[in-house]
Amino acid sequence: MNLKEFAARIGLSQTTVSRAMSGYPEVRPETRRRVLEAAEKLGYRPNISAQRLATGRAGAIGMVFQGGGRFGPHSSEFMGGLSTRLQEDGIDILVSTVETEAEEAAAYRRLAASKRVDAVVVHTPACADARIALLQTLALPFIVHGRSTAERSFAFLDIDNFGAIETAAGYLADLGHRRIALINGDTTSTYAQDRSSGYRTTLEARGLILDPALVGHGEFTDETGFRLMQAFLALPAPPTAVIAGSMMSALGAMRAIRIAGLAVGADVSLIAHDDVFPYLSPDNLVPSVTTTQSPIRAAGERIGDMVLRLLQGEAPEALQEIWPVDFRIRGSTGPAPA
Amino acid sequence: MNLKEFAARIGLSQTTVSRAMSGYPEVRPETRRRVLEAAEKLGYRPNISAQRLATGRAGAIGMVFQGGGRFGPHSSEFMGGLSTRLQEDGIDILVSTVETEAEEAAAYRRLAASKRVDAVVVHTPACADARIALLQTLALPFIVHGRSTAERSFAFLDIDNFGAIETAAGYLADLGHRRIALINGDTTSTYAQDRSSGYRTTLEARGLILDPALVGHGEFTDETGFRLMQAFLALPAPPTAVIAGSMMSALGAMRAIRIAGLAVGADVSLIAHDDVFPYLSPDNLVPSVTTTQSPIRAAGERIGDMVLRLLQGEAPEALQEIWPVDFRIRGSTGPAPA
């Protein structure tokens, strides 16, 4: 049974049938249900090419990663959330990986030209992000996970990275810590710059000295956390507190503190930013870890929702969210040692 | 410039150009390079629909997940490896998530009918897996990450799960342990059944009693590891050693052992299976953890290679690999307490 026959059989137009089956929400829920039930009953299976022709929709959202190495715990949680929302509407995710920045730009051009996706999700933007600039010139809808300081006439969802570090550093200052270290992420990314600003602003407001030797950058791995923390502890005046950008860096920092014969919480206080990984809970570490917290899976789910609204015609400017970050005090923070 | 003009300009057939640009390896590498360089220079961008028409290829490999909740540390490492290999040939991954088993079957039918992917990768198969039975009836090439006890006329890559647990349990028996517990995965999956066989066979061969109370199943999370280990330790005759199916379950088991006032390695020996997560290394835990080890990222990369060979026409029977598992002795194992 082809589209024409099926549409005639259930008394609807081919366009309505195609739209209902493509998953996009231009069609009333009752109609969609009716079409899907009839398709099930009559054994009608849409020809995707014909459906695309009729709806102009690909039924997929694209994500481009620079290198398979970029797949890590953050990407799986984010994609888990994104796909949870998209699957409700039968929308797939098309994952492209590329080697270089130039190839990433080429991938977006290719996705735009080929109509294999209806929109793309851009992740970890820089302050002036070439991808955003490019996508604004292409006829390919997009949403950004994160922010860019460039002109913001695009859809985005970000967490309040400035506020997260402001809260963490403020809490440590209240506990009497004067030398607070920061293990931050990739310097070019907006999130890392926002965290850096939150750190600097708070330390200045509290009259604490900004020591560049107490700030380190790198990937969110145990290894980087360990290496940076070891360097901090080797300083003539080591820090009494540290803020780690991820649970992974926190694991490495805790290891370095322990190996130095110091106790986390008593000798060195630790606060980590927790993206909420179900298999690595701050409650389960010894000692439990004080965190700023925002589940990246929830962000993925919400971005799935926002991208569907974007495709329904909502203005990008109406699809901009900045989420506050929770603060959870646990066992890894205590008063500064006398 | 369209395909016809571009092909004429560089003096090759439209089919050769399309094949070269689609990334699939029917075309000699020199020809492919020549075509890509010319396209770059002349600014030719292929129309994907036309290209598909010419090559019959979608340029994407599919993966279907049952629920976004299935996205976790294993999936990101595997996809990282898979995409690393596929990106060399410009092939994307199309990720579909579905709610139920019935929907998963429908998704494969839809992918087969719509030609949106050229092949699919099936993960975590059961011993008698309905997905494999279905895919064998559809004209959609597939490769399995894992094994199925069903007829094996399909491509697959698996690790030697039986041998891994045989080695681990044998080593613990050599150390004098008589009560060895097992924290296993989902009971219906082949990998968990293979591990269970390796465990039973080894214990029987060593004349150790099989106590069903010492075997637990569940998801590979810290929480499940913790809960199962607490139950083992509450037994009238608790185990002196435990084998955990993943690094995540091992974290939970270690926590339960510590909370019970026991020392990992001295009071309770622990061996974990490590899929190799860059952010959670067994060397970095305290004590460091003895593991059976096989990097799941490498498996993803190899499956990328195998699926491309499958699409080039290699027989599925020639694309079957079972990888041995490494054994790394570290600080979490010691002689059974007297």
Side-chain angles (χ1 to χ4, degrees):
Chain A
M1 188 181 303
N2 65 24
L3 172 63
K4 195 175 163 184
E5 292 159 351
F6 176 66
R9 182 80 172 268
I10 61 169
L12 288 170
S13 75
Q14 293 182 40
T15 307
T16 302
V17 167
S18 288
R19 287 195 171 149
M21 299 206 70
S22 75
Y24 288 103
E26 291 98 343
V27 176
R28 279 181 305 154
E30 312 87 84
T31 310
R32 184 154 170 256
R33 251 195 311 275
R34 182 179 145 207
V35 171
L36 292 177
E37 277 168 18
E40 177 78 40
K41 203 172 129 206
L42 301 173
Y44 168 67
R45 231 175 287 144
N47 175 312
I48 298 281
S49 304
Q51 189 171 305
R52 279 190 215 168
L53 223 53
T55 63
R57 290 284 167 84
I61 303 299
M63 284 197 79
V64 181
F65 290 86
Q66 251 188 58
R70 292 290 173 91
F71 271 94
H74 295 82
S75 34
S76 51
E77 286 302 309
F78 181 81
M79 282 186 63
L82 180 65
S83 66
T84 296
R85 176 60 191 90
L86 295 180
Q87 85 184 42
E88 287 174 26
D89 288 47
I91 314 288
D92 299 322
I93 304 172
L94 187 74
V95 175
S96 309
T97 58
V98 294
E99 202 59 53
T100 62
E101 206 168 302
E103 281 182 24
E104 184 164 357
Y108 287 120
R109 288 183 195 283
R110 181 167 59 87
L111 288 172
S114 69
K115 304 201 185 306
R116 298 172 82 194
V117 298
D118 300 312
V120 292
V121 177
V122 175
H123 56 92
T124 334
C127 291
D129 198 290
R131 297 171 297 176
I132 295 175
L134 170 67
L135 285 163
Q136 286 180 320
T137 70
L138 297 172
L140 181 61
F142 68 99
I143 181 162
V144 177
H145 180 214
R147 255 179 287 180
S148 169
T149 48
E151 209 244 304
R152 286 201 195 142
S153 58
F154 52 83
F156 69 86
L157 184 152
D158 197 7
I159 61 169
D160 181 9
N161 283 298
F162 182 100
I165 304 303
E166 190 180 35
T167 304
Y171 180 71
L172 292 168
D174 286 344
L175 286 169
H177 294 277
R178 312 284 304 163
R179 293 186 63 76
I180 301 168
L182 176 66
I183 297 175
N184 206 345
D186 170 26
T187 42
T188 58
S189 302
T190 311
Y191 82 87
Q193 300 218 358
D194 286 350
R195 290 178 184 188
S196 184
S197 305
Y199 172 78
R200 277 186 281 109
T201 304
T202 311
L203 265 57
E204 275 167 15
R206 299 304 187 107
L208 304 180
I209 291 162
L210 278 166
D211 182 349
L214 291 182
V215 177
H217 288 271
E219 275 189 283
F220 285 153
T221 61
D222 176 291
E223 204 46 42
T224 302
F226 179 72
R227 195 174 40 72
L228 290 174
M229 193 70 216
Q230 274 208 322
F232 295 151
L233 293 175
L235 291 171
T240 61
V242 60
I243 300 171
S246 76
M247 287 299 294
M248 284 74 193
S249 347
L251 283 176
M254 288 175 90
R255 197 157 52 91
I257 295 168
R258 208 175 279 130
I259 286 177
L262 301 168
V264 175
D267 299 313
V268 183
S269 284
L270 167 75
I271 299 180
H273 181 72
D274 181 17
D275 296 285
V276 189
F277 307 102
Y279 44 88
L280 186 58
S281 161
D283 281 316
N284 295 347
L285 298 176
V286 184
S288 63
V289 173
T290 298
T291 59
T292 56
Q293 181 200 295
S294 186
I296 194 169
R297 185 172 283 261
E301 209 163 330
R302 182 64 175 172
I303 282 189
D305 207 61
M306 290 165 80
V307 79
L308 294 179
R309 285 161 58 197
L310 187 67
L311 291 172
Q312 264 188 293
E314 277 194 50
E317 291 79 4
L319 296 166
Q320 303 183 331
E321 297 188 2
I322 296 173
W323 288 7
V325 169
D326 286 343
F327 185 53
R328 306 277 171 96
I329 298 167
R330 297 190 185 84
S332 66
T333 39
Chain B
M1 188 181 301
N2 65 24
L3 172 62
K4 195 174 164 185
E5 292 159 351
F6 176 65
R9 182 81 172 266
I10 62 170
L12 288 171
S13 74
Q14 292 181 41
T15 308
T16 302
V17 168
S18 287
R19 287 196 171 150
M21 298 205 71
S22 75
Y24 287 104
E26 291 98 343
V27 175
R28 279 181 307 155
E30 311 87 84
T31 309
R32 184 153 170 255
R33 248 192 316 275
R34 184 181 143 207
V35 170
L36 292 176
E37 278 169 18
E40 177 78 39
K41 203 173 129 207
L42 301 172
Y44 167 66
R45 233 175 286 145
N47 174 312
I48 298 282
S49 303
Q51 188 171 304
R52 277 191 214 169
L53 223 54
T55 63
R57 290 284 167 82
I61 303 298
M63 284 197 78
V64 182
F65 290 85
Q66 251 187 57
R70 292 290 173 93
F71 271 94
H74 294 82
S75 35
S76 51
E77 286 302 308
F78 181 81
M79 282 184 64
L82 180 65
S83 66
T84 295
R85 176 61 190 91
L86 295 180
Q87 87 185 43
E88 287 174 28
D89 288 48
I91 315 288
D92 299 322
I93 303 173
L94 187 74
V95 175
S96 309
T97 57
V98 294
E99 203 58 51
T100 64
E101 207 168 301
E103 280 182 25
E104 184 164 356
Y108 286 121
R109 289 183 196 282
R110 181 166 59 87
L111 288 173
S114 68
K115 304 202 184 306
R116 298 173 82 193
V117 299
D118 300 312
V120 292
V121 177
V122 175
H123 55 92
T124 333
C127 291
D129 198 291
R131 296 172 298 176
I132 295 176
L134 169 67
L135 285 163
Q136 285 180 321
T137 71
L138 297 172
L140 180 62
F142 68 99
I143 182 163
V144 177
H145 180 215
R147 255 180 287 181
S148 169
T149 48
E151 212 244 305
R152 286 199 197 142
S153 57
F154 52 82
F156 69 85
L157 184 153
D158 197 7
I159 61 168
D160 181 10
N161 283 298
F162 181 99
I165 304 303
E166 191 180 34
T167 304
Y171 180 72
L172 292 168
D174 287 343
L175 287 169
H177 293 277
R178 312 285 303 163
R179 294 186 64 74
I180 301 167
L182 177 66
I183 297 175
N184 207 345
D186 169 26
T187 43
T188 59
S189 302
T190 310
Y191 82 86
Q193 300 219 356
D194 286 350
R195 290 179 183 187
S196 183
S197 304
Y199 172 79
R200 276 186 282 110
T201 304
T202 310
L203 266 56
E204 275 167 15
R206 299 304 186 106
L208 304 180
I209 291 163
L210 279 166
D211 182 350
L214 291 181
V215 176
H217 289 270
E219 277 188 283
F220 284 154
T221 62
D222 177 291
E223 202 48 40
T224 302
F226 179 73
R227 195 172 40 72
L228 290 173
M229 193 70 216
Q230 274 208 322
F232 295 151
L233 293 175
L235 290 171
T240 61
V242 60
I243 300 170
S246 76
M247 287 299 294
M248 285 75 195
S249 346
L251 284 176
M254 288 175 89
R255 196 158 52 92
I257 295 167
R258 206 176 280 130
I259 286 177
L262 300 169
V264 176
D267 300 313
V268 183
S269 284
L270 167 75
I271 299 179
H273 181 72
D274 180 17
D275 296 287
V276 188
F277 307 102
Y279 44 87
L280 186 58
S281 161
D283 280 316
N284 295 347
L285 298 176
V286 184
S288 62
V289 173
T290 298
T291 59
T292 56
Q293 182 201 293
S294 187
I296 195 169
R297 185 173 283 262
E301 208 162 332
R302 182 65 174 170
I303 282 189
D305 207 61
M306 291 165 80
V307 81
L308 293 179
R309 286 162 58 197
L310 187 67
L311 290 172
Q312 266 189 290
E314 276 195 50
E317 291 79 3
L319 296 166
Q320 302 182 331
E321 297 188 1
I322 296 172
W323 288 7
V325 169
D326 287 343
F327 185 54
R328 307 279 171 94
I329 299 168
R330 297 190 185 84
S332 67
T333 41

